Amino acid sequence: MGTFNTVTHFKHFYLTPLFFFAICLLSSCASTPKKYETGYFGLFDTYTSIIIYAKNEGEFKRCADGIHDRLLELHRYFDIYDTYDGVNNLKTVNDMAGVAPVPVRGEIIGLLQFSKEMYYETNGAFNIALGPVLSIWRDYREAGVQHPEGAAPPPMEILLEASAHTDIEKLIIDAERMTVFLTEPGMSIDVGAVAKGYAAQLVVEQLTDGVSVIMDIGGNIVAVGKPPGKRGLWNVGVMNPDKETGADELLTTLKTESAAVVTSGDYQRYYEADGVRYGHIVDPYTLMPAARYRSVTVVHADSGLADALSTALFILPYDDGLKTAERFGAAVMWMTRGDEIYKNERFERYESEKK
Ligand code: AMP
Ligand code: MG
């Protein structure tokens, strides 16, 4: 095969399941499992909803609790806003920028190694060291949402000043000592583009074979196994960014077995100033919010990769994005600001027959 196998290529960024307990141990049963649902706020700054097919309520609860507890643990490791007793997390790493290496859990090492690799894979479009720039945009967004009358983009001088502290080479990951060090004061990591998908992938790798689960962590959807039924495929809808203005709710529906379907959009976190929409995905080359697309959806077997790619492809020009997607064997749909839709062939294969 001409293209390399991405799943194998990135495998080492995930810990081997041997270190983990299995989540969702299901008893074998001949009868058709029932559909159960749960959902909660509080993890990864978003809403999580989960569907589990289980034999009975007890089995469902054990499985749902196992997933929730593991997601909560990962949320705490990857959190850049809060610290927790007894845990060195990414906020600790950011707080210690320019001071000292921080001993961290393997999950953090894996997430950061993977994210650094994605920086090179995307020519720097995807950069988790963009923290100082992203936090300026976040402050202006929050102010702009609260007080729309005074909303404005940040001055370029302060963005440029912040961008002097975004060199990913100064993120030192020592996988042997299990430490992470931002060597320059003022640096900070922001994993908003990848943490949800990466965490979901870690959970998926701990699920027992044979489970049927679909999780949606703030638009990061991961389907595992097959739902009961003749066709045994999950239906995953891709939201239409225009649905608020009365358009169809979905852009399309995908039919798939196990896969991650991740969308980055300009309708999720944004503000407007003088009629211009400023989204939350920032182009490191211009330091301005990427403005080519309304949404980019990526389908891939690996949820962490799908998440990182959806953000990167939201920034990259179409030709570069398409090449990157093909290299990873990713299925992609782009919706431009002019409401044009582009898809690669891989994506079309997932689409349902049009009604
Ligand atoms: P997503 O919704 O997965 O596309 O992630 C968007 C989030 O990623 C933003 O809210 C920021 O926290 C972060 N982000 C924005 N721009 C970039 C970038 N160029 N590289 C890496 N992360 C980014
Ligand atoms: Mg993403």
Side-chain angles (χ1 to χ4, degrees):
M1 281 220 304
T3 53
F4 64 83
N5 180 334
T6 315
V7 177
T8 312
H9 180 69
F10 279 110
K11 208 66 197 163
H12 64 282
F13 293 117
Y14 295 105
L15 301 179
T16 101
L18 279 180
F19 291 114
F20 291 141
F21 56 93
I23 299 175
C24 294
L25 280 171
L26 301 184
S27 51
S28 58
C29 78
S31 61
T32 311
K34 284 195 282 274
K35 182 178 173 181
Y36 294 90
E37 298 188 50
T38 183
Y40 34 81
F41 282 104
L43 300 185
F44 301 103
D45 207 11
T46 191
Y47 186 74
T48 298
S49 65
I50 302 183
I51 293 173
I52 298 169
Y53 284 92
K55 194 174 67 176
N56 55 43
E57 182 90 33
E59 194 170 275
F60 157 70
K61 235 190 125 343
R62 275 194 304 282
C63 184
D65 288 350
I67 292 174
H68 173 270
D69 293 352
R70 180 64 172 145
L71 282 176
L72 177 63
E73 191 179 25
L74 293 166
H75 161 81
R76 290 181 170 163
Y77 297 158
F78 301 159
D79 199 336
I80 61 170
Y81 302 107
D82 291 305
T83 48
Y84 304 91
D85 281 349
V87 180
N88 284 339
N89 67 4
L90 287 181
K91 173 151 170 45
T92 324
V93 171
N94 286 344
D95 290 345
M96 293 295 275
V99 181
V102 179
V104 292
R105 297 274 316 205
E107 289 89 336
I108 294 182
I109 299 278
L111 171 69
L112 298 185
Q113 282 181 322
F114 169 65
S115 300
K116 202 164 171 178
E117 182 76 18
M118 289 307 288
Y119 172 88
Y120 303 114
E121 293 284 355
T122 61
N123 267 328
F126 178 89
N127 182 8
I128 58 161
L130 210 58
V133 171
L134 295 175
S135 77
I136 293 171
W137 275 106
R138 188 176 309 111
D139 291 347
Y140 275 73
R141 181 173 71 244
E142 281 167 10
V145 168
Q146 269 190 335
H147 304 288
E149 65 293 347
M156 188 44 79
E157 302 91 85
I158 65 164
L159 291 171
L160 279 170
E161 212 174 287
S163 77
H165 307 288
T166 58
D167 181 359
I168 200 147
E169 302 305 340
K170 293 178 178 162
L171 162 62
I172 310 295
I173 306 161
D174 188 332
E176 258 160 46
R177 291 200 178 83
M178 302 274 282
T179 61
V180 180
F181 188 21
L182 290 168
T183 59
E184 193 176 276
M187 285 186 77
S188 65
I189 279 167
D190 181 322
V191 289
V194 63
K196 295 192 289 265
Y198 190 88
Q201 185 64 27
L202 288 179
V203 169
V204 166
E205 291 181 7
Q206 276 178 264
L207 291 175
T208 323
D209 284 350
V211 296
S212 300
V213 172
I214 189 162
M215 302 189 272
D216 180 349
I217 312 176
N220 279 246
I221 298 167
V222 195
V224 184
K226 298 171 177 209
K230 229 179 28 226
R231 281 169 48 255
L233 295 174
W234 301 99
N235 285 313
V236 181
V238 178
M239 201 202 284
N240 187 346
D242 286 328
K243 85 175 173 117
E244 305 299 325
T245 52
D248 289 348
E249 191 167 338
L250 299 178
L251 283 182
T252 188
T253 304
L254 309 175
K255 293 192 192 322
T256 179
E257 292 186 12
S258 296
V261 181
V262 180
T263 300
S264 289
D266 76 348
Y267 53 95
Q268 290 154 334
R269 283 167 204 203
Y270 70 91
Y271 71 110
E272 276 168 7
D274 291 330
V276 180
R277 175 178 289 221
Y278 296 102
H280 65 140
I281 298 172
V282 174
D283 183 338
Y285 299 105
T286 62
L287 306 180
M288 298 296 286
R292 292 172 208 280
Y293 307 110
R294 313 240 10 232
S295 85
V296 176
T297 300
V298 173
V299 189
H300 196 276
D302 184 312
S303 153
L305 182 66
D307 194 1
L309 269 186
S310 74
T311 311
L313 299 193
F314 194 90
I315 297 166
L316 289 171
Y318 174 76
D319 287 346
D320 293 350
L322 181 61
K323 274 189 218 135
T324 308
E326 294 298 333
R327 218 170 56 240
F328 284 105
V332 189
M333 176 173 72
W334 295 257
M335 182 188 190
T336 68
R337 283 232 169 156
D339 285 356
E340 292 153 314
I341 302 268
Y342 297 98
K343 300 160 184 174
N344 65 358
E345 203 213 313
R346 252 179 251 277
F347 190 91
E348 284 170 350
R349 280 187 239 149
Y350 283 102
E351 289 188 289
S352 10
E353 312 75 28
K354 296 273 179 293
K355 281 160 205 109

